Amino acid sequence: MDKIELKALGKINLGLDVLGKRPNGYHDVRMVMQTIYLYDQIIMEKKKEPGIEISTNLFYLPVNENNLAYRAARLLMDEFDIQTGVKISLTKHIPVAAGMAGGSSNAAAVLYGMNRMYGLGLSMEELMERGVTLGADVPYCIMRGTVLAEGIGEILTPLPAMPKCQIVVAKPPVSVSTKMVYEKLDSHQIEEHPDIDGIIGGLESEDLKKVADCMGNVLEKVTVEAYPVIEKIKQCMKEGGALNAMMSGSGPTVFGIFEDRKQAKKAAARIKEAGLAKQVYVTNVHNARRK
Ligand code: ATP
């Protein structure tokens, strides 16, 4: 196989709790992750000349070893002594630095693509073991679907699939540093922990309303303090009929859960019209796991 086209899907967090901090600075988390059908298009192609060549539609993204897609390709090329080169084209749609694991999902797709294209014979578990060296969310992005992520995010337990629903994603025009959010969290006392077990219970009983009611993100307060627009978008989604709305990851992206597609589209249009966000999408959850 000389060429492979892949979709690198983004994620939202239905729940995000922080349990503590390790001496090395990493945080112990308990998160319910959900893949959504908002994706970056990735085309990988072998080339005769050695080296990794990255191209992307976003001028501000690095195309060297600072790009996670580059690092993913490098990792397997070094381990398997691959002498030919690879061209990787990234067409980005997942908002960048937004709490949707865009970089991690690109890395996951490239690991998957290298394994297929070069016939390396690695199992999904073996790809995940390599992925975690690139980032805590990479193993999840390899697995996909509805998953409980613990440890630093790498200990994964598959959960029952999220019931069918519409997801509105809105990224306000501010950039959030994940590092900054966690540092601020450390200086706060966590007053309220989200009901992660409630979310899991809702998934087990296929009860979308219960999942939505139990949603919570311990990082939200910290990011909202810096960017009140996040709260405004949440309100707009709820007024527009969302069962609930919340910030994903360390933000600033907000997502809303809707039962009805028409309502979801209307809410998305209202957020744009109000000038709260330009990057607004209506999409679905994606429950299939990668095999
Ligand atoms: P997370 O949800 O894991 O916190 P994120 O959405 O906050 O991820 P990313 O979109 O992955 O963050 O990007 C964070 C930083 O990583 C960006 O500032 C960007 O420069 C860098 N980066 C490196 N490679 C990529 C890539 N392939 N796609 C997007 N960003 C990348």
Side-chain angles (χ1 to χ4, degrees):
M1 190 191 288
D2 287 333
K3 187 176 173 180
I4 187 165
E5 293 195 26
L6 300 159
K7 291 184 173 80
L9 274 57
K11 63 90 182 155
I12 52 175
N13 295 90
L14 298 171
L16 194 164
D17 197 8
V18 174
L19 306 179
K21 192 179 174 187
R22 296 181 181 185
N24 62 7
Y26 280 101
H27 288 79
D28 274 293
V29 292
R30 196 155 183 255
M31 315 188 281
V32 179
M33 320 281 275
Q34 176 63 50
T35 308
I36 59 170
Y37 203 61
L38 173 63
Y39 58 86
D40 297 337
Q41 189 78 44
I42 299 193
I43 304 175
M44 299 174 66
E45 220 172 331
K46 286 183 189 168
K47 65 183 179 85
K48 285 204 186 73
E49 318 74 54
I52 301 161
E53 193 184 309
I54 307 257
S55 59
T56 163
N57 58 325
L58 297 183
F59 70 90
Y60 53 85
L61 279 189
V63 289
N64 54 16
E65 65 282 358
N66 293 322
N67 196 303
L68 275 165
Y70 184 106
R71 294 231 284 277
R74 178 88 279 153
L75 186 97
L76 294 182
M77 283 174 116
D78 286 349
E79 181 178 345
F80 291 89
D81 199 21
I82 295 168
Q83 297 297 334
T84 53
V86 62
K87 269 208 283 198
I88 304 173
S89 139
L90 305 175
T91 306
K92 300 282 303 176
H93 300 290
I94 303 171
V96 175
M100 302 195 71
S104 304
S105 86
N106 290 181
V110 169
L111 290 175
Y112 179 86
M114 291 291 289
N115 191 37
R116 291 284 299 274
M117 206 161 61
Y118 289 94
L120 306 180
L122 294 171
S123 65
M124 287 302 121
E125 286 71 27
E126 287 168 329
L127 281 184
M128 287 189 233
E129 281 165 20
R130 284 152 181 83
V132 74
T133 68
L134 300 168
D137 284 347
V138 177
Y140 166 69
C141 291
I142 293 172
M143 183 187 251
R144 292 178 169 174
T146 316
V147 172
L148 176 68
E150 295 171 293
I152 60 163
E154 88 294 13
I155 303 172
L156 305 178
T157 310
L159 293 172
M162 175 75 168
K164 195 171 168 288
C165 61
Q166 304 293 316
I167 306 287
V168 175
V169 170
K171 152 80 171 48
V174 293
S175 284
V176 168
S177 147
T178 304
K179 199 166 163 268
M180 180 278 281
V181 173
Y182 274 98
E183 276 169 9
K184 273 202 178 174
L185 181 80
D186 292 337
S187 61
H188 280 58
Q189 189 81 350
I190 299 178
E191 284 152 18
E192 214 180 311
H193 287 274
D195 186 5
I196 302 290
D197 291 326
I199 300 173
I200 297 172
L203 292 166
E204 282 166 348
S205 54
E206 298 176 36
D207 183 344
L208 182 65
K209 284 203 174 71
K210 178 163 183 200
V211 173
D213 283 347
C214 294
M215 272 171 24
N217 179 351
V218 84
L219 302 177
E220 198 176 66
K221 210 170 148 206
V222 177
T223 314
V224 168
E225 268 174 25
Y227 302 110
V229 64
I230 293 168
E231 191 57 46
K232 285 189 189 157
I233 296 175
K234 282 178 60 178
Q235 283 312 322
C236 197
M237 287 189 183
K238 287 182 191 169
E239 282 160 23
L243 293 179
N244 205 350
M246 192 179 86
M247 185 182 86
S248 183
S250 51
T253 302
V254 176
F255 68 91
I257 298 198
F258 291 79
E259 285 174 302
D260 179 64
R261 189 162 177 87
K262 268 195 194 143
Q263 255 187 346
K265 282 190 160 176
K266 260 196 189 164
R270 213 168 296 142
I271 290 165
K272 274 193 192 169
E273 280 159 21
L276 298 172
K278 280 198 192 109
Q279 283 181 283
V280 187
Y281 308 94
V282 181
T283 185
N284 306 97
V285 293
H286 179 93
N287 287 318
R289 299 195 199 284
R290 220 177 320 226
K291 289 196 187 83

